[in-house]
Amino acid sequence: MARPFDVVALESKWQERWRDLGIYEVNNDDPRERFYALCMYPYPSGVAHQGHVRNYTFGDLVVRYQTMRGKAVLSPFGFDSFGLPAENAAIKAGSHPRPFTEARIIELRTSVQKLGAVYDWRREISSHEAEYIKCSQFLFLKMFEAGLAYRAQAPVNWCPGCATVLANEQVLADGTCERSGDLVERKDLEQWFLAITKYADELLSDVDALQWPERVKSMQRNWIGRSEGVEFSLAFADGSGRALRVFTTRPDTGFGVTYAVVAPEHHLLEALTTSEHEVAVSELVQRARNSSELERTSSSDSGVGLDKRGAFTGSFVVNPFSGDEVPVYVADYVLGTYGTGAIMAVPAEDERDFAFAAVHGLPVVRTVAPPEAFDGGAYSGDGVKINSGFMDGLDVASAKIAASEFLVGHGDGSSTVNYRLRDWLVSRQRFWGCPIPIIYCSSCGIVPVPYEQLPVLAPDDVTMDSSGQSPLASHDGFRNATCPTCDEPARRETDTLDTFFDSSWYYLRFTDPNNQQRPFDPEIAASWMPVDQYIGGVEHAILHLLYARFFMKAMIDIGVAPGLEREPFKRLFTQGMIRMDGSKMSKSKGNLVAPEAFYQTVGADGLRLFHLFVGPPTDDFDWTDQSKEAIDGCGRFLDRLFRVATLDNITLRTDHDESDDAIRRAVHRTIAKVSSDLEQWSYNTAVAALMELLNTVGKWARDERGANEETLNEAVDALLLLLAPMAPHLSAELWSQRHGESSLVHTQHWPIADPELLREELVTMVVQVAGKLKARIDVAPSISEQDAIAAALSDPAVASLLAGATPSRIVAKVPRMVNIVP
């Protein structure tokens, strides 16, 4: 499409000028009101795609808007540069991951700058850099000293062909290794954990007050999964004195327990399994070890029937409510890491228990009377207790209290709180990650690397080969160490930290990125924190956002971040994702649309406007063949703006008429609307309002009477100021053409609507009763039908005529007339 200006030259000019002037660089002693705007730092996968464009357009709008409102806006950028994709690329190329990673960083940084997004690039960080590694290791050691980092056994995915541990993402749906094709096994290894469960209650209670989307808060509540209930004993029926400990949130259903289930990992499974059932139990245990927890807890059968997902152990336990002996099964859907690793099964009140009982021929005993319309199966709702002995006739809430009291006296019971949340396993048997700063000494045990020896860096003289094994484990120069305590030969930890560790505190490093002594100065961090506006995808609702909240609280408690608030992100915005052919647009799916081609035609401004205009920012949208047409439409809007601002085909006049007043009112209504819309993330309606204003101004300015020069200047300047955060390049260029090369639109104050011009001129609305004029009322032209009717009915003359009667019909033609039919 032909443009009235050279879009590439214009945008390049202003991108270079913003960098040279540094108007978006802020110092820590800036006296202005502070605002911290942050987009989640990205993994450097290469050039930007439309998902990046959308995210960084939203973030850049916030930065420019808040700056024009007079604030010192901290807007940093960095790279989450450790991770599996770089390691896999290095394995494929037989090289080190660093060159691959740093080349991708350059590509992504260049793409983001071409978008016109502005950042304080002096604060740039990358998690693979030595200084950042040093800081992450410092924080790990502080957590280790405080007892928040510890080592324990945990099951991992083990590939016998590669002789290495695999991340969940490397295990295919059929349970095989993506690299070798071997069947992946579950293996217990010593792993490092962070004790996030110590903060479960605080993480749960504090989430309510956050200015975050309710969907995200709900996801965090569910992930933490706090359950209040009773833990009690099911005694072995053989009189051995042993018992299964089980947990339930519904003790009132105790009379309906017809079997019990233990996890394949349960420590009493061997004691429960009789000789005639050893084979079936062993087969189930092996199958469970080769399945992920997600597969095991899935509500679907994942291709394996419930008859294969459970096996009878041959043993029985005693139901303390009824005194009946009930069979004990082992099933893969019960996890040894949750609760006690054993459950009481009540098939009448639980869908999975019901399905399991049906397959295995187990009895179903209802303990709550279902409603009359109930059509069978499990019923978990409220009702009157039945078949429940001393609880018969009670409602569920009352029965829970009675059952809990009974268990405390008869089943070794105790009130207990369980959590779905588990401690965070941070060990990764990978090379491209932050090394864990621990040394193992045969005499001294686990020894932390002294702070003065940080950072512990992975060696450069390694080659990633097709075996997939981390070279750290076999690199003598890295693995062999000296114990800092006794000076004897020792072994260095060869695991690296989960990359979520790096991203759980990076927002603090941005506040003080050049600190050589510690990760950040708490006083400097406190002057910026918490982040005022955090922007990113909803897919990070649980892991990253939960881990970051945990880190903030933990760092305060261990003395690393005294004086800071305990929540890191004041407000959170999660943008909708872009779909193509029904799937999320992503590099892994190969369905990316790069922005570079659009930079050459409609420019970054046109592409930015499309992402702002295409729909509510929170909504997903589909990229289709029509998307390019819509982008071209945004380009044509900018062309029209250019022609109006440069007085193309416009005649100026100095006299004043009523049409000028109408334009001024339209300008100030648009200022008010756009300002309100930006505060509410209603970007699509803000762009629509600007398009409408430009159409109004353009039609008025090209009228045969000509345009009043003063009014036109006010209208064009308002358009440029309001568009400055959205289409920054053209706004900057046109402003400098109109006000001089040294004048910058982005350093101007955000426009404020004149209240006098927001007042609408009143019109006269006539009110008729049975077709006869009874009143005249002055109303705003924009009055709603509901308000017009209310005004008509409340008029004294009309109210007197109706005498309290309800009209049979009302016809309203707002704002001119309301006709009331008694």
Side-chain angles (χ1 to χ4, degrees):
M1 55 187 286
R3 307 296 301 276
F5 55 91
D6 186 335
V7 63
V8 175
L10 185 153
E11 293 190 343
S12 297
K13 164 190 169 180
W14 283 102
Q15 289 163 15
E16 182 178 351
R17 191 166 183 195
W18 292 326
R19 284 195 296 271
D20 292 344
L21 292 173
I23 60 175
Y24 293 98
E25 295 176 356
V26 294
N27 297 321
N28 288 333
D29 60 356
D30 196 303
R32 293 174 292 174
E33 179 185 351
R34 298 187 172 208
F35 190 95
Y36 189 174
L38 183 61
C39 291
M40 295 178 185
Y41 79 157
Y43 176 77
S45 56
V47 295
H49 54 71
Q50 295 299 330
H52 291 118
V53 171
R54 187 168 176 78
N55 189 42
Y56 300 133
T57 294
F58 295 162
D60 191 58
L61 187 155
V62 171
V63 172
R64 293 180 184 273
Y65 169 65
Q66 294 293 344
T67 300
M68 292 178 73
R69 293 186 64 207
K71 298 178 183 179
V73 181
L74 176 58
S75 173
F77 201 91
F79 300 93
D80 190 9
S81 48
F82 273 136
L84 203 55
E87 186 163 338
N88 285 340
I91 290 170
K92 187 175 181 180
S95 64
H96 195 286
R98 181 175 289 106
F100 174 88
T101 299
E102 293 179 349
R104 302 292 83 71
I105 286 175
I106 293 172
E107 290 175 348
L108 183 53
R109 184 194 299 118
T110 302
S111 285
V112 170
Q113 289 172 341
K114 283 185 177 180
L115 179 64
V118 286
Y119 300 96
D120 187 345
W121 290 102
R122 302 172 305 168
R123 297 175 184 260
E124 180 182 333
I125 60 175
S126 295
S127 58
H128 77 288
E129 293 173 343
E131 197 59 39
Y132 197 87
I133 291 171
K134 175 183 175 181
C135 294
S136 288
Q137 291 172 343
F138 175 94
L139 294 174
F140 178 88
L141 292 178
K142 287 294 184 183
M143 289 188 172
F144 177 72
E145 290 172 5
L148 291 177
Y150 66 93
R151 200 166 183 248
Q153 274 209 338
V156 296
N157 301 313
W158 177 261
C159 175
C162 299
T164 189
V165 171
L166 304 179
N168 288 335
E169 295 83 0
Q170 294 176 296
V171 182
L172 300 179
D174 62 359
T176 59
C177 172
E178 67 171 3
R179 193 175 294 122
S180 70
D182 289 288
L183 186 66
V184 175
E185 303 170 355
R186 296 286 282 174
K187 191 173 185 177
D188 289 332
L189 292 179
E190 288 284 329
Q191 304 279 280
W192 282 95
F193 292 83
L194 297 185
I196 189 174
T197 53
K198 290 185 177 181
Y199 289 83
D201 273 328
E202 187 181 356
L203 289 167
L204 186 63
S205 62
D206 288 357
V207 77
D208 291 339
L210 295 175
Q211 298 176 51
W212 290 16
E214 185 55 40
R215 176 170 65 146
V216 175
K217 295 198 288 187
S218 178
M219 292 169 74
Q220 290 216 353
R221 291 187 197 102
N222 292 336
W223 188 260
I224 296 168
R226 188 178 193 273
S227 301
E228 294 185 13
V230 180
E231 185 177 308
F232 65 99
S233 295
L234 298 174
F236 279 29
D238 61 7
S240 63
R242 289 180 293 192
L244 280 181
R245 294 292 289 178
V246 296
F247 170 82
T248 180
T249 60
R250 290 291 304 275
D252 63 291
T253 63
F255 280 92
V257 175
T258 58
Y259 64 100
V261 185
V262 297
E265 304 86 1
H266 200 283
H267 67 285
L268 290 176
L269 179 59
E270 184 176 353
L272 286 164
T273 305
T274 60
S275 57
E276 61 268 33
H277 295 279
E278 281 181 355
V279 173
V281 170
S282 177
E283 289 176 352
L284 185 137
V285 169
Q286 187 58 44
R287 189 161 52 246
R289 289 184 64 84
N290 293 333
S291 301
S292 69
E293 289 191 358
L294 183 62
E295 291 172 319
R296 287 174 56 180
T297 57
S298 171
S299 59
S300 68
D301 290 340
S302 304
V304 180
L306 282 172
D307 59 325
K308 301 296 184 184
R309 299 185 67 180
F312 181 40
T313 64
S315 293
F316 294 80
V317 291
V318 178
N319 181 336
F321 287 92
S322 63
D324 296 338
E325 294 184 4
V326 298
V328 181
Y329 282 74
V330 57
D332 66 351
Y333 63 82
V334 178
L335 302 177
T337 52
Y338 180 73
T340 65
I343 64 167
M344 61 176 227
V346 186
E349 269 88 31
D350 182 89
E351 291 287 354
R352 192 192 292 272
D353 291 351
F354 184 87
F356 191 92
V359 168
H360 292 276
L362 298 165
V364 176
V365 177
R366 296 202 181 280
T367 66
V368 178
E372 292 184 7
F374 183 66
D375 58 359
Y379 174 69
S380 58
D382 204 357
V384 176
K385 298 300 294 184
I386 59 173
N387 302 321
S388 296
F390 62 88
M391 291 181 284
D392 279 350
L394 297 178
D395 58 32
V396 169
S398 301
K400 281 184 179 181
I401 297 172
S404 299
E405 292 173 350
F406 171 83
L407 287 171
V408 170
H410 296 82
D412 193 21
S414 60
S415 296
T416 306
V417 176
N418 269 349
Y419 297 91
R420 182 174 183 264
L421 180 69
R422 299 169 203 164
D423 279 348
W424 175 10
L425 193 160
V426 293
S427 292
R428 294 293 181 269
Q429 291 72 33
R430 312 307 312 166
F431 172 77
W432 195 233
C434 177
I436 296 176
I438 291 293
I439 289 172
Y440 301 104
C441 175
S442 58
S443 300
C444 304
I446 297 176
V447 182
V449 173
Y451 289 101
E452 61 271 17
Q453 293 182 18
L454 299 180
V456 176
L457 300 175
D460 286 331
D461 58 336
V462 298
T463 300
M464 308 297 295
D465 59 41
S466 59
S467 72
Q469 288 183 285
S470 168
L472 294 181
S474 57
H475 193 286
D476 290 340
F478 180 83
R479 184 183 56 190
N480 297 331
T482 300
C483 175
T485 302
C486 68
D487 290 330
E488 292 297 317
R491 174 176 59 86
R492 193 180 298 281
E493 172 64 78
T494 57
D495 283 359
T496 55
L497 288 168
D498 180 5
T499 56
F500 277 115
F501 191 101
D502 303 320
S503 61
S504 292
W505 72 277
Y506 77 103
Y507 47 90
L508 289 161
R509 183 66 178 175
F510 276 140
T511 67
D512 191 17
N514 299 313
N515 195 318
Q516 302 291 312
Q517 282 70 48
R518 47 186 170 172
F520 52 87
D521 183 315
E523 288 189 13
I524 293 175
S527 73
W528 289 107
M529 293 293 294
V531 174
D532 291 281
Q533 185 63 69
Y534 200 36
I535 304 170
V538 73
E539 65 269 22
H540 301 294
I542 297 173
L543 298 182
H544 163 59
L545 289 169
L546 190 65
Y547 293 156
R549 295 181 61 220
F550 156 63
F551 250 70
M552 193 74 250
K553 299 173 190 300
M555 284 189 291
I556 292 170
D557 290 345
I558 63 179
V560 174
L564 275 74
E565 294 187 26
R566 295 183 72 82
E567 287 290 342
F569 312 122
K570 186 183 296 183
R571 286 182 294 272
L572 172 70
F573 179 80
T574 54
Q575 78 276 6
M577 70 176 180
I578 307 174
R579 293 184 300 254
M580 178 178 274
D581 300 325
S583 298
K584 178 183 177 181
M585 190 180 285
S586 70
K587 187 171 184 179
S588 62
K589 291 184 170 62
N591 61 354
L592 297 183
V593 176
E596 270 65 25
F598 297 103
Y599 293 159
Q600 303 297 316
T601 56
V602 298
D605 282 350
L607 187 58
R608 287 167 64 117
L609 277 180
F610 165 76
H611 280 281
L612 295 169
F613 182 57
V614 70
T618 54
D619 290 0
D620 299 342
F621 81 90
D622 293 298
W623 186 280
T624 65
D625 293 339
Q626 285 71 48
S627 297
K628 185 178 183 304
E629 296 177 17
I631 294 170
D632 288 343
C634 290
R636 289 191 293 272
F637 163 73
L638 295 174
D639 292 348
R640 291 194 298 274
L641 173 66
F642 181 88
R643 293 188 179 100
V644 170
T646 55
L647 306 180
D648 179 44
N649 199 28
I650 294 175
T651 302
L652 297 178
R653 57 179 168 81
T654 57
D655 62 304
H656 183 88
D657 62 26
E658 289 185 358
S659 68
D660 304 333
D661 294 336
I663 290 297
R664 294 198 69 219
R665 287 194 295 273
V667 166
H668 284 263
R669 284 199 299 270
T670 304
I671 291 172
K673 176 169 177 52
V674 171
S675 301
S676 174
D677 285 350
L678 295 193
E679 292 287 346
Q680 300 175 58
W681 291 85
S682 300
Y683 295 161
N684 56 317
T685 56
V687 175
L690 290 168
M691 290 179 171
E692 181 181 352
L693 178 62
L694 179 62
N695 288 339
T696 300
V697 171
K699 184 177 180 181
W700 163 80
R702 292 192 174 93
D703 185 84
E704 60 183 13
R705 293 170 299 175
N708 176 270
E709 184 174 9
E710 183 180 356
T711 303
L712 180 62
N713 285 336
E714 180 182 6
V716 172
D717 281 357
L719 276 164
L720 297 180
L721 289 166
L722 295 173
L723 270 169
M726 307 179 199
H729 305 87
L730 184 58
S731 300
E733 177 65 23
L734 291 173
W735 186 272
S736 70
Q737 288 183 18
R738 293 169 56 79
H739 296 278
E741 190 66 22
S742 62
S743 184
L744 302 174
V745 70
H746 294 102
T747 60
Q748 306 302 310
H749 290 297
W750 185 255
I752 298 174
D754 185 339
E756 291 298 320
L757 292 172
L758 295 180
R759 293 177 183 173
E760 296 183 274
E761 290 187 350
L762 300 179
V763 297
T764 300
M765 180 178 75
V766 299
V767 182
Q768 297 176 337
V769 177
K772 294 182 179 181
L773 177 65
K774 296 300 177 184
R776 288 184 173 89
I777 304 174
D778 290 335
V779 298
S782 59
I783 191 170
S784 68
E785 181 176 320
Q786 180 180 357
D787 288 344
I789 292 173
L793 292 174
S794 62
D795 181 86
V798 174
S800 176
L801 282 171
L802 293 176
T806 301
S808 62
R809 190 161 63 98
I810 298 177
V811 178
K813 295 182 179 180
V814 294
R816 297 297 179 185
M817 183 269 291
V818 173
N819 185 27
I820 301 169
V821 181

